[in-house]
């Protein structure tokens, strides 16, 4: 007993440690054998596993005006330390019930009225023995009574048994009771008081009144529980004996009841036999009825199937039946304009029927029927026959339309009158058969190639005739004088004149040719792509020049065009457009060649006009027109290259002439040519002109060098005069044309180099001894000290005096001679002042160097000073 008390005290201290910090007092603590309902369901354990024991602790927490009571669930952690697991407020405790299906009576449930879900089972506990159960329940009831002022409902517990147990185990209860309202009290409570407390706490007021009323009938007090129990047992035995006696007295009645039951049993057996007979008859009748119903269902199914089959066959026959009006159109009808509506309807019907007779539009079982195959073969023959007749009619129709227009001269340009080609009537008549062509493409794609070739061949004759007549008349009515091709050849002089004839009418004629025919060819290409059913390529091809290519028809084939199919269609379209427009380029070439013969420089403006038209053609249907314009541009570039090559040959002919002096003829002529070329530039022709500049100027400079090298005496004079003339003539153009600016700077550098060489030659010729003496001194300074040089042979002081006397005596005459030589050799007088200034500056620089050498090598010798020489030159 002492060991049990020690364990309880140790458990109590562990519980207080677990809830330390909550300011609560542990009233009681006890271990639990098994628990359920704490977290909804008990945990499932594997084999060999044991649930960790839990501890129930009742604690209170005192506040200013009231005291709270709690039921705490504690569990052991892995380290064997108690820790908090669950908390219940005892103010919500509404019922205490002992589980009846536990024979030991150690399992009970606590019902709380604040459970959120009614489906959750209330907490269920199984104690180690009945004593532990009673101890815990008595403590809970005491706390609810003293602290909360109410008792929960008690179910399944014998109140008398609880009272007897409390009386017998009073000595085992803890001696230290707690006043739950005022906190812990150290004084012990008497055993009699404990007994009264237990009885008071186990029974409610109403139950106590009922018990007193019951005991009053036996003249007993409520404390005489054992005597009352014995009294009840004796009365129960007396009542059971009385019941047995009554049963024995009623035996005759029981016999009568048994006879009646036997008679009833016989009647039931007879009825069972009759029911068996009726059941057999009913079973046979049910089988007959089921057989009849089965036959009726089969008959109904056959009837429904036959009706559906008849409907399907009627629909199939309706498909296979060829209307007489369509048969007439497809086999031998006319293709005149008045009958086209009937032909289109017949084509639509034929297309729809053929598609409906193909899998998956028709069931495969129908498609394999002989009647369907025969009808499909008949329709296929009808389709091929119709496509053949329609193709032949359209080929003849296209040819007849074009022949009619070619035979009528009013459709073409005539003498003195340019005629703009007009194909409105031709396209209007072709539109009548646009829907027919779409249906022919669906019915028989192979016939489209022949139709396209026929249309292209016929219309090609018309377009070439129109272009030829228009180009011939355009050249006839255009008046322009020829400009010379030899721009850079011929004598040069102050009275040189250049043919400035206005040839703008030539480029205007070319532009008019393009203005009339390029939109016409683009519109014809776009109309052809629409008319001949090139799906996906004709859309968006309108150029804004003509809306006649809109056929006003719907696309029959709604399938999306795949990239591969579009590529093949584009290739076929380009081939057809080549057949449609092939040969017309010759008339454009004729206009280009004619313009080149009148004025080769007009190739520049024609190149710009052509480039502008090329940039405007972006549609797929205009592909061949772009090729035509590219060929025209190449033809113009080729002709202009011929002109540039001829100009280069004219420049190179200057090499063959005997000594030439002054400015070469092609230098000023090139400036005039460049000015004219700049006037003709339009649009993208700048690159063409810059390439010509580069080629011409390069040849000019190379030829100039070769001509100058022919006479080394006058080489520098010829170079500087021509480079100066090149700069003077191209000064204005070089400021606006980057290519010419580059060559301008190249000429400026070459001019400066030639001037330097020419002036040095003049100075050395006149003062040769003076500057040769200076050069010998400079050479000796590399190997000798300055003070040793006067003692060297040929550079002594005496030699210096002789050189100075011979070179500087009469220096004014020598300088005047230099000026006269300069004036005599220069053909261009405007260059003389600048060259003379450069000559004086160069002479002063050289003389200054000579004077410094003399002062350094010959300190005692005096020569005319640099300032004296500068004053002398300034006076000249």
């Amino acid at each position: 007993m002492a060991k049990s008390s020690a364990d309880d005290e140790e458990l109590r201290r562990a519980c207080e440690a677990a809830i330390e910090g909550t300011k609560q007092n542990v009233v009681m603590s006890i271990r639990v054998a098994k628990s359920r309902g704490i977290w909804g369901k008990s945990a499932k354990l594997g084999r060999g596993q044991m649930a960790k024991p839990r501890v129930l602790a009742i604690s209170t927490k005192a506040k200013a005006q009231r005291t709270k009571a709690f039921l705490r669930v504690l569990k052991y952690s892995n380290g064997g330390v108690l820790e908090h697991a669950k908390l219940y407020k005892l103010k919500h405790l509404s019922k205490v019930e002992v589980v009846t299906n536990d024979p030991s009576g150690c399992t009970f449930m606590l019902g709380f009225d604040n459970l959120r879900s009614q489906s959750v089972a209330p907490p269920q506990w199984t104690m180690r023995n009945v004593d532990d159960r009673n101890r815990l329940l008595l403590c809970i009831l005491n706390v609810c009574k003293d602290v909360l002022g109410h008792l929960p409902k008690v179910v399944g517990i014998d109140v008398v048994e609880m009272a007897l147990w409390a009386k017998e185990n009073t000595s085992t209860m803890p001696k230290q009771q707690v006043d739950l309202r005022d906190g812990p009290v150290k004084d012990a409570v008497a055993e009699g008081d404990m007994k009264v407390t237990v009885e008071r706490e186990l029974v409610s007021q109403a139950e106590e009144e009922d018990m007193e009323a019951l005991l009053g009938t036996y003249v007993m007090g409520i404390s005489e529980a054992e005597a009352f129990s014995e009294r009840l047992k004796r009365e129960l035995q007396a009542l059971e004996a009385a019941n047995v006696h009554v049963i024995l007295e009623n035996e005759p009645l029981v016999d009568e009841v048994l006879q009646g039951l036997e008679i009833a049993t016989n009647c039931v057996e007879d009825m069972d036999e009759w029911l068996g007979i009726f059941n057999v008859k009913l079973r046979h009748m049910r089988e007959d009825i089921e057989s009849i119903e089965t036959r009726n269902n089969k008959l109904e199914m056959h009837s429904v199937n036959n009706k559906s089959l008849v409907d399907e066959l009627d629909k199939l026959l309706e498909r296979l039946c060829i209307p007489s009006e369509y048969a007439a159109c497809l086999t031998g009808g006319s293709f005149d304009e008045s009958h086209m509506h009937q032909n289109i309807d017949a084509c639509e019907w034929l297309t729809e029927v053929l598609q409906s007779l193909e899998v998956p539009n028709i069931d495969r079982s129908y498609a394999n029927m002989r009647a369907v195959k025969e009808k499909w073969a008949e329709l296929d023959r009808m389709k091929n026959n119709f496509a053949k007749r329609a193709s032949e009619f359209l080929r003849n129709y296209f040819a007849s339309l074009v022949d009619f227009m070619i035979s009528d001269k009013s459709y073409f340009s005539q003498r003195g009158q340019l005629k703009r080609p007009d194909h409105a009537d031709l396209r209007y008549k072709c539109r009548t058969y646009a829907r027919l062509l779409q249906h022919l493409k669906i019915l028989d794609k192979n016939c489209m190639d022949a139709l396209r070739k026929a249309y292209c061949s016929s219309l090609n004759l018309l377009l070439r005739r129109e272009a030829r007549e228009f180009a011939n008349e355009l050249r006839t009515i255009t008046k322009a004088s020829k400009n010379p091709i030899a721009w850079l050849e011929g004598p040069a002089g102050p009275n040189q004149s250049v043919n400035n004839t206005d040839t703008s009418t030539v480029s205007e004629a070319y532009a008019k040719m393009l203005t009339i025919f390029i939109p016409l060819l683009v519109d014809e290409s776009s109309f052809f792509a629409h008319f001949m059913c090139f799906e996906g390529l004709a859309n968006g091809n309108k150029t804004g020049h003509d809306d006649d290519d809109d056929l006003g028809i719907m696309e029959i084939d709604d399938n999306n065009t795949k990239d591969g199919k579009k590529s093949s269609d584009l290739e076929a379209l380009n081939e057809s457009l080549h057949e449609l427009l092939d040969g017309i380029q010759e008339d454009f070439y004729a206009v280009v060649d004619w313009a080149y013969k009148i004025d080769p420089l007009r190739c520049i403006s024609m190149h710009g006009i052509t480039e502008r038209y090329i940039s405007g053609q972006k549609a797929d249907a205009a592909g061949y027109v772009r090729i035509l314009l590219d060929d025209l541009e190449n033809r113009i570039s080729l002709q202009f290259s011929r002109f540039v090559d001829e100009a280069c040959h004219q420049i190179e002919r200057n090499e063959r002439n005997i000594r030439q002096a002054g400015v070469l003829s092609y230098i000023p002529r090139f400036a005039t040519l460049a000015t004219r070329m700049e006037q003709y530039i339009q649009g993208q022709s700048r690159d063409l002109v810059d390439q010509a500049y580069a080629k011409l100027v390069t040849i000019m400079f190379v030829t100039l060098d070769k001509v100058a090298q022919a006479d080394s005496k006058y080489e520098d004079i010829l170079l500087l005069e021509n480079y100066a003339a090149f700069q003077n003539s191209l000064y204005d153009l070089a400021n606006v044309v980057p290519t010419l600016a580059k060559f301008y700077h190249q000429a400026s550098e070459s001019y400066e180099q030639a001037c330097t060489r020419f002036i040095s030659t003049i100075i050395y010729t006149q003062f040769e001894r003076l500057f040769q003496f200076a050069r010998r001194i400079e050479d000796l300074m590399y190997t000798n000290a300055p003070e040793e040089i006067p003692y060297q042979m040929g550079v002594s002081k005496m030699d210096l005096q002789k050189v100075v006397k011979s070179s500087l005596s009469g220096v004014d005459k020598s300088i005047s001679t230099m000026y006269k030589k300069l004036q005599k050799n220069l053909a261009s007088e405007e260059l003389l002042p600048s060259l003379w200034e450069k000559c004086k500056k160069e002479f002063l620089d050289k003389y200054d160097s000579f004077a410094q050498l003399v002062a350094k090598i010959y300190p005692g010798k005096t020569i005319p000073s640099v300032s004296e020489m500068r004053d002398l030159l300034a006076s000249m």
Side-chain angles (χ1 to χ4, degrees), residues 745-761:
H745 293 306
Q746 181 180 344
S748 177
E749 294 175 1
S750 300
Y751 170 77
E752 292 296 333
Q753 295 172 4
C755 286
T756 301
R757 292 194 301 271
F758 176 63
I759 291 171
S760 298
T761 302

Side-chain angles (χ1 to χ4, degrees), residues 628-647:
L628 172 63
L629 290 171
D630 289 338
D631 292 342
L632 274 177
E633 187 180 39
N634 294 335
R635 183 67 170 244
I636 293 169
S637 300
L638 180 62
Q639 293 287 31
F640 188 70
S641 297
R642 286 178 54 192
F643 165 75
V644 173
D645 292 341
E646 180 60 30

Side-chain angles (χ1 to χ4, degrees), residues 734-745:
N735 288 328
V736 294
V737 181
T739 303
L740 291 180
K742 180 182 69 173
F743 289 110
Y744 182 90
H745 293 306

Side-chain angles (χ1 to χ4, degrees), residues 86 88-89 92 111-123:
K86 189 72 175 179
Y88 297 97
K89 294 183 179 180
H92 296 294
F112 294 88
D113 57 9
N114 65 337
L115 289 179
R116 295 182 180 179
S117 175
Q118 296 299 327
S119 61
V120 178

Side-chain angles (χ1 to χ4, degrees), residues 18 199 308 568 759:
E199 291 178 353
S308 300
S568 61
I759 291 171

